[in-house]
Amino acid sequence: MRVADFGLARALAEASWTEPVGALVGTARYAAPEQGGAFPVDGRADLYALAVVLVEATTGEVPIVGDSPIGTLAARTVRGILAPPELGALGAVIERAGRPDRADRYPDAATMAAALADVATRLPEPAPLPLPGLGDAVEDPDPTRSGVPTTARTGESEAMEEGVYAIPVRPAPVRTWRAVPYVVGAALVAAIVIAAVLLFAGGAGPGVAAPTLVGQTEKLAISKAGDAGVLVQVASRQRADDPPGVIIAQDPAPGTFVGRGGQIDVVLSLGPPPVPVPSVVGRAVTDAQAILTQAGFQVKVSQQYDNTIPKGVVISMSPAGATKAPPESTVTVVVSEGPAPIPIP
């Protein structure tokens, strides 16, 4: 590998900015959107920068770049980084690390490293990577050194007088780098993971992200968690405004990484607390329906003959008045149809 300087320092200097004393100094092309405002900057800005570098390493272009450093930062506050198709399964990790709102990114480097490690296990085997300089051309073992004028070993004095100079010719080195394309190709995925771990000193971390189970029924939550490789355990049941049997909380929270085969504790709703049922016995059916509806109940009306209760008046109700029932539950009222008809002789 050869490293040459073609004005990279000047190019980076043109893309950088200096903030007031005590603030950060950085390069706009790799900066997170919060670095351009009066917001505190933490390690999540480094996660954003890593996402930019990975996209640039894949496509050769820095994502979301404006006409100026300020324009670049302004553009990054309104849209997130879109991973190129070449990144495959890594795209989801890159896009989460490159979201405009830092609260939507990974909470720390260890969590992102764990996500990268999990994706790396599911990526296909890399193909051989061709490298420049491994063709049929003879490689110069010392490209920075020109031929040194030397005199011939025989007739040294005559050669000096005639101005004859001999440039030593080195034999072509034996090419022993046939495994290099394979090694480099195989190391690409590992390099991403190692870079995140070493750069941010993150640990091995958990394996999978906890799915979102809040709002799901217990049955659906168990199925969804099973697809993600984790288990569901009902920790408790509590009264809540949600319908009975719906998950209202989970631990760990959605997006938090847990080990494969790990457990997510959930809290199930018992439904809202019961409320008093107003008594409507002896009232007209229209009034009874209005009273129960206003109290938050559904009303079901059934008819029954009664020789003593006038037609259209509530005879009984279930559940009974002055008891308690869950809001929006159904109250059945029995309404009199008057005396039963009798046969005419």
Side-chain angles (χ1 to χ4, degrees), residues 220-317:
L220 291 178
I222 292 175
S223 175
K224 188 174 182 179
D227 295 339
V230 293
L231 304 176
V232 172
Q233 175 67 36
V234 178
S236 63
R237 302 173 187 267
Q238 300 178 6
R239 291 289 181 183
D241 293 334
D242 301 85
V246 173
I247 294 176
I248 58 176
Q250 68 178 84
D251 182 28
T256 303
F257 281 82
V258 297
R260 288 187 178 275
Q263 177 177 299
I264 300 178
D265 294 330
V266 298
V267 178
L268 291 182
S269 171
L270 289 174
V275 296
V277 180
S279 178
V280 293
V281 175
R283 291 181 174 271
V285 63
T286 54
D287 294 340
Q289 289 177 312
I291 293 172
L292 292 173
T293 301
Q294 186 176 7
F297 296 99
Q298 306 290 331
V299 181
K300 179 181 178 182
V301 177
S302 64
Q303 306 288 337
Q304 178 180 315
Y305 290 114
D306 192 284
N307 294 328
T308 59
I309 305 298
K311 183 177 181 179
V313 176
V314 176
I315 302 173
S316 62
M317 57 186 296

Side-chain angles (χ1 to χ4, degrees), residues 22 40 50-51 57 121 147 174 197 236 238-239 243 246 301 311 332 335 344:
L50 178 59
T121 61
V174 179
V197 173
S236 63
Q238 300 178 6
R239 291 289 181 183
V246 173
V301 177
K311 183 177 181 179
T332 301
V335 180
I344 299 177

